[in-house]
C-alpha cells in the first residue's frame, strides 16, 4: 500500500481529512478512540449555544454527522471559523508530515497557577473555542514514537500561543485552552522507533 498525503476538504460547518485508508491514531478527540484505527477525521464548527450544559458534545457531534451524512471515525469540535484552517506540510529525507490546525481561544486558559482566588465561580457552560491539531506522518510509527509526537505537537502549540503574548484577566499568560485536542495519525506497516526532526512551520 503506497504512502499518500491526506486529502482535506471544507464544506462548512465541516472540515474533513481523508487519510485514504485506515491509520493508527493516538490522541484525545471528542469522538473516536484515543488509541485505535481510523481513516476519516472531521471538525464540526459550533456555537456555544449549540452545547448547553445538558447536551453531551459527543452525542451532538454524532447526531449532526448523521444528519449531514458525514463519515467521521475521529471527531473534533470548535467555535473557531473552520474556513480559516491552516494546513502545513514539511519533509526531510526520512519523514513527511502534514499538520491540519484550527485555532480558537475563547476557552483560553493558563497552566500557571492563579496567584489570587477566582473572583467568580466556574461557569457550567461549555465553551467551544479551542485549538484542534491533527498531525499525519507519511511513515509508520511505534506506539512510543506516536506518544513522543503528541508531546512535540503540544510543545509547538504552547510555544505558538505564548508567542502571541495574550494575558488572562488575572494577568497569567495564555498557554492554551481547556478543551484543546491533539491527534496523531500514522499509516500501518513496518514501524519506526524514532521521530524524524521535522518541526511544523506553524509552530513559530
Amino acid at each position: 500500500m503506497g504512502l499518500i498525503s491526506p486529502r482535506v476538504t471544507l464544506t462548512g460547518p465541516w472540515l474533513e481529512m481523508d487519510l485514504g485508508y485506515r491509520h493508527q491514531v493516538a490522541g484525545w478527540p471528542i469522538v473516536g478512540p484515543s488509541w485505535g484505527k481510523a481513516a476519516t477525521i472531521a471538525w464540526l464548527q459550533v456555537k456555544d449555544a449549540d452545547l448547553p450544559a445538558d447536551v453531551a458534545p459527543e452525542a451532538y457531534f454524532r447526531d449532526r454527522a448523521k444528519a449531514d451524512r458525514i463519515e467521521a471515525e475521529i471527531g473534533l469540535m470548535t467555535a473557531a471559523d473552520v474556513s480559516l484552517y491552516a494546513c502545513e506540510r514539511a519533509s526531510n529525507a526520512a519523514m513527511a508530515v502534514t499538520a491540519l490546525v484550527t485555532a480558537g481561544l475563547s476557552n483560553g486558559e493558563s497552566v500557571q497557577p492563579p496567584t489570587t482566588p477566582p473572583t467568580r465561580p466556574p461557569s457550567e457552560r461549555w465553551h467551544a473555542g479551542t485549538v484542534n491539531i491533527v498531525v499525519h506522518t507519511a511513515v509508520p510509527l511505534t506506539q512510543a514514537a506516536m506518544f513522543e509526537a503528541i508531546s512535540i505537537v503540544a510543545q509547538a502549540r504552547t510555544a505558538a500561543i505564548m508567542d502571541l503574548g495574550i494575558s488572562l484577566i488575572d494577568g497569567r499568560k495564555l498557554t492554551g485552552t481547556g478543551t484543546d485536542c491533539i491527534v496523531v495519525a500514522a499509516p500501518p506497516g513496518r514501524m519506526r522507533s524514532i521521530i524524524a526532526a521535522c518541526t511544523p512551520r506553524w509552530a513559530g
Side-chain angles (χ1 to χ4, degrees):
M1 187 177 295
L3 298 177
I4 64 170
S5 294
R7 180 169 58 91
V8 176
T9 57
L10 174 67
T11 309
W14 292 97
L15 174 66
E16 299 174 77
M17 175 183 268
D18 183 355
L19 304 178
Y21 50 87
R22 293 178 72 76
H23 282 49
Q24 182 67 53
V25 295
W28 54 93
I30 292 289
V31 172
S34 293
W35 177 259
K37 304 287 187 180
T40 53
I41 302 171
W43 280 249
L44 172 60
Q45 182 179 332
V46 297
K47 303 181 296 293
D48 283 352
D50 295 329
L51 296 164
D54 60 341
V55 173
E58 179 179 355
Y60 181 82
F61 181 98
R62 292 188 186 280
D63 289 344
R64 284 293 305 272
K66 182 178 180 180
D68 294 344
R69 297 182 179 180
I70 297 294
E71 295 184 9
E73 294 168 285
I74 297 291
L76 307 167
M77 289 197 298
T78 182
D81 185 345
V82 294
S83 70
L84 300 178
Y85 72 89
C87 185
E88 293 285 346
R89 293 180 172 89
S91 63
N92 59 24
M95 173 71 77
V97 174
T98 300
L100 184 61
V101 182
T102 59
L105 297 175
S106 64
N107 194 27
E109 255 301 342
S110 176
V111 295
Q112 295 176 306
T115 56
T116 58
T119 58
R120 58 187 177 184
S123 172
E124 293 183 357
R125 193 172 183 180
W126 194 88
H127 295 285
T130 190
V131 178
N132 289 322
I133 305 171
V134 174
V135 171
H136 170 269
T137 68
V139 299
L141 298 176
T142 64
Q143 185 181 64
M146 294 191 75
F147 292 161
E148 185 183 357
I150 290 173
S151 175
I152 292 171
V153 172
Q155 292 176 56
R157 173 213 56 197
T158 303
I161 291 173
M162 293 190 72
D163 281 348
L164 297 174
I166 301 173
S167 296
L168 298 174
I169 193 170
D170 60 7
R172 291 178 297 151
K173 297 299 182 183
L174 188 71
T175 58
T177 83
T179 50
D180 287 356
C181 290
I182 296 173
V183 175
V184 172
R190 185 178 178 182
M191 300 178 189
R192 300 201 177 188
S193 59
I194 59 172
I195 297 174
C198 185
T199 304
R201 287 190 292 272
W202 49 263

